[in-house]
Amino acid sequence: MTDSQSLSVSRRKPGGRNRRRELVVAARKLFVERGYRETSVSAIVQEAGVAQGTFYLYFKKKPDVLVNLRGEVLRDYIDCFKQGVGGPGPADARLVTGIRQIYAAVDRHRDLLRIFREASTSDELARLWIEGREMVGEPVTQLIEDGLADGSFRVESPRMAGLLSLALFDDLLFEAQEYAHPAPGPETLAHATRYLLRALGAPPERVEALVSMEEF
C-alpha cells in the first residue's frame, strides 16, 4: 500500500492511522519473537486484537508490513544523521558525530535488522533499501560538499563519495555489534571512522584528533 492509499484509508475510517500502527507494532513484536517466516497474518491480527479482514485494509500481504518497518528504520537513520551533523563546526567533526548517531540507531534496531536479513529475498524490500540508500545519501553528500567548502575534505564527486561512505557502513556496524566481527562494535566504529575520514582527504593528524576525542 502506498502512502497516499494509507492516507485515504485513514480518512475513510476514524482512527485508521492508529489501527495501522497497531498492526505494525504487533507484527514487529511477533517477527522478533518468532521469526518472519513463522509469523502468519492470523497471528498478527490476533496480537493486534483486530479482525482478519482489518489487516487487508492497510496491507496487501505480510511482506508489506516488513517494507513499512524497513522504511521506519531508514527514516530513523536519516533523522539521526541530520541531528548529528546539524550543529556548528567543521564538516569532518560533524561527520564523526553523525556516524556515532547512526551507530546508536543500528544498535536500537538490531532486532529488526536480523529480521530484514531473514527476509532479504523480498524484491520489494531490496528496492526499498536501494531507494533508502539514495535518501540517506543526500545529507551525507551535502555534508561532504560542506567539507569541500571549508577545506575538511578533498574528493572529486561528493555524491559518489557519499554513497561509498554509506556502503562502508551498510552491514559493518550491525555485524560488529551482533557478532563482534570484524571486531567488537566500538573498535570497528573507530577503524571505520578513521578509514572514511582518510578516504575523504582529511589529514592523518586531523583524523587521529577527531577519533581520539570521541569515546569510541
Side-chain angles (χ1 to χ4, degrees):
M1 176 177 289
T2 65
D3 290 341
S4 61
Q5 288 172 325
S6 63
L7 180 59
S8 176
V9 168
S10 66
R11 284 174 174 167
R12 290 199 308 268
K13 180 173 180 167
R17 284 182 181 272
N18 290 336
R19 187 68 74 202
R20 188 175 194 268
R21 185 63 193 158
E22 288 168 3
L23 288 164
V24 172
V25 170
R28 174 173 183 157
K29 178 176 182 291
L30 295 178
F31 289 163
V32 172
E33 291 177 354
R34 303 181 183 182
Y36 173 74
R37 293 185 178 89
E38 289 70 30
T39 300
S40 65
V41 171
S42 296
I44 293 172
V45 298
Q46 183 176 1
E47 178 68 28
V50 300
Q52 181 93 4
T54 303
F55 180 91
Y56 297 103
L57 290 173
Y58 305 100
F59 304 102
K60 290 183 179 179
K61 53 190 182 301
K62 185 176 72 170
D64 292 345
V65 185
L66 203 64
V67 171
N68 182 284
L69 288 168
R70 184 53 149 166
E72 290 185 3
V73 171
L74 287 169
R75 286 191 293 274
D76 190 35
Y77 285 176
I78 293 170
D79 291 344
C80 288
F81 184 80
K82 286 182 175 180
Q83 180 181 0
V85 305
D92 52 7
R94 289 189 286 134
L95 177 62
V96 172
T97 304
I99 291 171
R100 285 175 58 81
Q101 292 280 11
I102 291 291
Y103 180 84
V106 169
D107 191 40
R108 284 197 303 276
H109 295 297
R110 279 168 66 183
D111 55 353
L112 271 182
L113 296 178
R114 296 187 203 105
I115 301 303
F116 296 151
R117 287 188 166 211
E118 178 188 343
S120 61
T121 55
S122 168
D123 288 342
E124 192 169 3
L125 194 62
R127 285 196 299 271
L128 178 66
W129 180 232
I130 292 172
E131 293 171 2
R133 186 181 297 164
E134 291 285 342
M135 289 190 296
V136 179
E138 290 179 10
V140 178
T141 298
Q142 180 59 59
L143 183 64
I144 292 173
E145 289 177 347
D146 292 347
L148 289 174
D150 69 20
S152 297
F153 304 136
R154 293 186 296 276
V155 295
E156 294 180 359
S157 170
R159 180 179 179 276
M160 184 60 70
L163 292 175
L164 291 173
S165 300
L166 289 176
L168 175 63
F169 293 100
D170 260 6
D171 296 309
L172 186 67
L173 297 183
F174 170 77
E175 291 174 0
Q177 293 175 0
E178 187 75 3
Y179 310 115
H181 179 80
E187 183 180 348
T188 298
L189 179 62
H191 280 292
T193 303
R194 287 190 184 97
Y195 183 89
L196 177 57
L197 288 169
R198 289 169 183 165
L200 292 174
E205 62 277 8
R206 176 62 174 168
V207 172
E208 293 308 311
L210 288 169
V211 175
S212 63
M213 75 181 185
E214 300 290 339
E215 297 178 358
F216 284 95

